[in-house]
Amino acid sequence: YQLHIKSFFDSNNDGIGDFAGLISKLDYIAELGVNTLWLLPFYPSPRRDDGYDIAEYKAVHPDYGSMADARRFIAEAHKRGLRVITELVINHTSDQHPWFQRARHAKRGSKAREFYVWSDDDQKYDGTRIIFLDTEKSNWTWDPVAGQYFWHRFYSHQPDLNFDNPQVLKAVIGVMRFWLDLGVDGLRLDAIPYLIERDGTNNENLAETHDVLKAIRAEIDANYPDRMLLAEANQWPEDTRPYFGEGDGDECHMAFHFPLMPRMYMALAMEDRFPITDILRQTPEIPANCQWAIFLRNHDELTLEMVTDRERDYLWNYYAEDRRARINLGIRRRLAPLLQRDRRRIELLTSLLLSMPGTPTLYYGDELGMGDNIYLGDRDGVRTPMQWSPDRNGGFSRADPQRLVLPPIMDPLYGYQTVNVEAQSHDPHSLLNWTRRMLAVRKQQKAFGRGSLRTLTPSNRRILAYIREYTDADGNTEVILCVANVSRAAQAAELELSQYADKVPVEMLGGSAFPPIGQLPFLLTLPPYAFYWFLLASRDRM
C-alpha cells in the first residue's frame, strides 16, 4: 500500500499530513488486507520535486513530525503485522543538500567537489536522453559558485551523485544502515539505471551500476538478512532482469515490472489480450529468491516510456483526450478517472493486478475510486488528500481549506462528499469492501504470489486466460485458472484444459462449483469486462 504522509491524515490541523495522523489510520490499512506500507519521501526537502529532492537523509521533515514520531510509526506498524518500505534516493540530492553546498565551494578535483558530476562545458555525455522533456532542455546546469556545469538526469535542482567517488557509496551505505537500524523493512531504490556516467553511452544500465548495487546488497546480506531492496528501473523486462543480480540474485530482491502496466490498459482499449500476453512472453525468468512488483497506478504519471511512439499516441488519445492530463511521456490521472468511473473495468484491472506474477502494489485512495485534479501542477493532481468522510476537507484535516498542502477533490463525481471511507465502509457493495474481499481471497492461495504462469490461447482474442500453479515443499499443488474478458461485449471461449480432466473449477469469490473439466474444450461465457478466478479442485474433495 503506497501512500504520501503529507496527504494521508493531518493530526495537528496545520493542513499537512503527518506521522501521528498516519499512526492513527494504521488500523484502516491493516483491515484493508495489505501487509506492507511504502512511504514516499518524508525527509527534509525544499519539496520542489515533492520530497525526492532530499536536503538531509537522516532526518524527518518538520511538517511530518519528528524522528521520535518515525520510530513510533515503525513500531506501531510492526505491531499490526505491517512492514515498512521507505525511499533510498541515491541517484541525486537536492541542490540544498550540505554535500552539494560543500561541493560547489570546494576546490576542483577535491573529494568534496567530486561528490557530484562536473564539467567545464555542457557537451559531455551528449548521447543521453532528457527524461523530463516538459521542463528540462539539458542534463547539464551551470553553477556560478562552482564555475562549472553539474550533471542531472532529473530536474536542474537535483544534481546527480558521483558513484565513481568511493566516498559517495560509503555515505549512501551509511544512510541505508541508519534507516535499517531504525527498523525499516525495505528500501525502494529510486532511479537506479542512471547511477553511472560514461562517455559514448546512453548512460543507462551500465555495468558499473551493478557493482554499486552488489556492494549495497552485500551490506544487507551481511547485517540485515531479513530486509529487502526494491528497484525502480523503468526499463524493458530484459533490461530490468540484471537488477536482480546474476545466478542466485545478489542485487535487488524486487523490481517493478514497468512495461506490464501500460499494456493492461492497452488490452482494454484494443479489446485484445495480445499486449498482455506479448509482454509476459518477453518477461525473462528471475532468480527464485526474487520477485516482480506490479502496479496499476502510483504517485507519478502513468508512464508510457515502455511503449512504441504509435502505441503512446493511441493510449494518449484513448485515456487522455484532454491534453492537460498528459505530462512528460505519460498521463497524470488516477485509476478511476482513467476508466471513467466504470466499476466493471476498475474491478477487471484490479483482478489482473492481483493475479499476475509478482507482488501487487495499491496506491492510496484507489481502493475507493478516488479522483484527481489535472489542473494542479506537475503530478500533484494524483497526490491530493485522502478522503475519509463527507466532513470538512474530506476528514483529512480541520485546518482552513486554504492552508491544506493540496486542495481536496470537490467535484460532484469524485468529491469527498461522494467518495470517502466512511460511506464506503457502511456499504457492503462498495469498491472498498470489494477490494477487501479480493485481498482476503488472494491471501488464501500461494499460487498468486509464488506460482508459475502459463497463458492459454483460446481462438477468441478478447479472452485472456492463464494458469497459476504452485507446488509446496510437501508436494501439494495448487492450480488456479484465471479468465478475463477485456471486451465491452459478452464473449464466449473454449479453453483447452484436458490435462486437468476430472478437476472441478470452483469460482473463488462465491465458492460455486462449475461443471467438471473433461477431454473436450471447456466452454465459458463471460459478460462484458468480467473475470473468473477458479480453483481447480479434485472431485473427491468436493
Side-chain angles (χ1 to χ4, degrees), residues 403-421:
R403 293 185 61 196
L404 297 189
V405 64
L406 285 170
I409 304 298
M410 292 181 282
D411 67 65
L413 294 179
Y414 299 99
Y416 58 79
Q417 300 93 339
T418 307
V419 178
N420 61 73
V421 171

Side-chain angles (χ1 to χ4, degrees), residues 264-265 268 296-297 319 334-354 362 365-371 413-414 419 424 430-432 434-435 438 485 528-531 533:
M264 291 197 262
Y265 292 96
L268 258 64
L296 293 174
R297 287 301 299 111
Y319 289 107
R334 271 186 174 270
L335 179 63
L338 277 166
L339 302 174
Q340 299 173 321
R341 296 172 61 248
D342 185 343
R343 175 76 177 262
R344 299 170 305 171
R345 287 191 288 168
I346 293 171
E347 291 186 1
L348 174 59
L349 277 186
T350 304
S351 81
L352 295 180
L353 173 73
L354 298 181
L362 291 173
D366 280 353
E367 73 273 20
L368 306 174
M370 255 178 72
L413 294 179
Y414 299 99
V419 178
Q424 293 201 17
S430 67
L431 183 61
L432 171 60
W434 178 87
T435 305
M438 290 292 288
N485 176 9
Y529 299 124
F531 71 92
W533 288 355

Side-chain angles (χ1 to χ4, degrees), residues 235-506:
Q235 306 287 327
W236 292 102
E238 65 269 23
D239 294 327
T240 305
R241 168 62 182 83
Y243 290 99
F244 294 112
E246 299 305 322
D248 58 353
D250 59 354
E251 293 185 29
C252 295
H253 303 78
M254 294 180 67
F256 287 107
H257 198 319
F258 274 93
L260 174 61
M261 178 271 301
R263 282 163 180 79
M264 291 197 262
Y265 292 96
M266 176 80 82
L268 258 64
M270 295 174 61
E271 301 190 21
D272 190 332
R273 68 172 182 251
F274 177 76
I276 296 175
T277 56
D278 183 50
I279 201 67
L280 290 175
R281 181 182 54 78
Q282 294 179 48
T283 302
E285 288 291 317
I286 60 175
N289 61 342
C290 295
Q291 180 72 297
W292 290 107
I294 52 178
F295 61 99
L296 293 174
R297 287 301 299 111
N298 59 23
H299 62 294
D300 285 333
E301 69 271 29
L302 190 162
T303 177
L304 301 177
E305 283 185 65
M306 294 297 110
V307 296
T308 65
D309 291 345
R310 187 177 176 186
E311 289 170 336
R312 184 180 305 117
D313 288 340
Y314 180 80
L315 288 167
W316 265 340
N317 290 331
Y318 190 91
Y319 289 107
E321 193 175 351
D322 186 338
R323 290 184 172 270
R324 276 174 299 232
R326 305 177 189 182
I327 186 172
N328 302 321
L329 292 178
I331 304 170
R332 48 178 171 186
R333 303 229 69 163
R334 271 186 174 270
L335 179 63
L338 277 166
L339 302 174
Q340 299 173 321
R341 296 172 61 248
D342 185 343
R343 175 76 177 262
R344 299 170 305 171
R345 287 191 288 168
I346 293 171
E347 291 186 1
L348 174 59
L349 277 186
T350 304
S351 81
L352 295 180
L353 173 73
L354 298 181
S355 60
M356 285 282 164
T359 298
T361 304
L362 291 173
Y363 188 49
Y364 83 95
D366 280 353
E367 73 273 20
L368 306 174
M370 255 178 72
D372 52 38
N373 183 353
I374 58 176
Y375 292 90
L376 296 178
D378 194 24
R379 292 156 290 182
D380 284 341
V382 300
R383 302 173 184 180
T384 55
M386 181 68 172
Q387 296 168 195
W388 294 104
S389 73
D391 299 336
R392 175 181 183 167
N393 301 326
F396 162 72
S397 173
R398 300 294 300 165
D400 291 338
Q402 63 267 30
R403 293 185 61 196
L404 297 189
V405 64
L406 285 170
I409 304 298
M410 292 181 282
D411 67 65
L413 294 179
Y414 299 99
Y416 58 79
Q417 300 93 339
T418 307
V419 178
N420 61 73
V421 171
E422 184 182 299
Q424 293 201 17
S425 293
H426 298 145
D427 176 4
H429 303 291
S430 67
L431 183 61
L432 171 60
N433 279 318
W434 178 87
T435 305
R436 284 173 175 158
R437 288 193 295 274
M438 290 292 288
L439 290 174
V441 169
R442 184 188 189 276
K443 216 177 256 187
Q444 294 167 10
Q445 311 297 333
K446 287 191 176 178
F448 284 129
R450 279 288 168 193
S452 61
L453 181 141
R454 178 171 62 87
T455 55
L456 304 178
T457 55
S459 59
N460 185 349
R461 285 181 40 162
R462 287 175 166 77
I463 297 295
L464 170 67
Y466 47 98
I467 299 282
R468 303 299 314 276
E469 192 165 332
Y470 176 78
T471 303
D472 64 20
D474 299 325
N476 301 312
T477 300
E478 286 176 4
V479 183
I480 296 172
L481 168 64
C482 301
V483 189
N485 176 9
V486 297
S487 163
R488 72 186 78 183
Q491 300 290 332
E494 292 185 330
L495 306 177
E496 173 48 56
L497 297 171
S498 56
Q499 71 180 96
Y500 303 107
D502 287 336
K503 295 280 189 184
V504 178
V506 179

Side-chain angles (χ1 to χ4, degrees), residues 54-55 57 91-104 110-119 140 148-151 157-165 168 197:
I54 295 172
Y57 281 107
N91 181 65
H92 51 258
T93 69
S94 165
D95 57 10
Q96 304 303 307
H97 196 289
W99 294 348
F100 185 74
Q101 292 302 317
R102 187 167 65 240
R104 66 201 300 229
S110 65
K111 284 185 179 177
R113 171 67 73 96
E114 296 304 310
F115 242 68
Y116 295 84
V117 181
W118 301 92
S119 175
W140 291 103
Q148 281 187 297
Y149 290 91
F150 64 82
W151 176 254
H157 53 80
Q158 291 171 318
D160 279 20
L161 289 163
N162 177 18
F163 278 91
D164 287 328
N165 180 349
V168 171
E197 298 78 31

Side-chain angles (χ1 to χ4, degrees), residues 17-195:
D18 44 48
F19 269 114
L22 175 55
I23 291 168
S24 72
K25 297 297 185 182
L26 282 175
D27 286 338
Y28 165 80
I29 295 168
E31 288 165 9
L32 185 61
V34 302
N35 56 22
T36 305
L37 275 177
W38 162 22
L39 303 185
L40 295 178
F42 50 78
Y43 316 105
S45 163
R47 288 205 299 239
R48 295 179 67 189
D49 185 19
D50 207 17
Y52 281 91
D53 49 333
I54 295 172
E56 172 53 64
Y57 281 107
K58 298 181 182 179
V60 172
H61 197 297
D63 284 347
Y64 305 148
S66 64
M67 190 59 74
D69 292 326
R71 285 194 186 92
R72 187 163 67 92
F73 158 72
I74 293 169
E76 290 292 333
H78 287 166
K79 204 181 290 182
R80 291 164 175 81
L82 295 168
R83 298 196 175 191
V84 177
I85 294 175
T86 60
E87 298 274 356
L88 188 63
V89 184
I90 61 173
N91 181 65
H92 51 258
T93 69
S94 165
D95 57 10
Q96 304 303 307
H97 196 289
W99 294 348
F100 185 74
Q101 292 302 317
R102 187 167 65 240
R104 66 201 300 229
H105 287 96
K107 291 180 180 177
R108 291 191 184 203
S110 65
K111 284 185 179 177
R113 171 67 73 96
E114 296 304 310
F115 242 68
Y116 295 84
V117 181
W118 301 92
S119 175
D120 290 327
D121 60 54
D122 59 358
Q123 302 306 306
K124 204 173 178 184
Y125 310 142
D126 61 353
T128 309
R129 69 188 175 101
I130 297 169
I131 293 172
F132 291 135
L133 286 164
D134 290 6
T135 54
E136 301 298 331
K137 304 300 179 211
S138 171
N139 287 317
W140 291 103
T141 290
W142 176 256
D143 182 53
V145 175
Q148 281 187 297
Y149 290 91
F150 64 82
W151 176 254
H152 55 90
R153 286 307 304 271
F154 288 78
Y155 294 113
S156 56
H157 53 80
Q158 291 171 318
D160 279 20
L161 289 163
N162 177 18
F163 278 91
D164 287 328
N165 180 349
Q167 295 302 312
V168 171
L169 179 57
K170 187 177 176 184
V172 162
I173 287 177
V175 171
M176 179 181 81
R177 292 189 63 120
F178 176 84
W179 289 105
L180 294 175
D181 287 342
L182 216 66
V184 163
D185 300 285
L187 297 163
R188 173 185 175 272
L189 302 179
D190 181 69
I192 57 168
Y194 319 120
L195 299 185

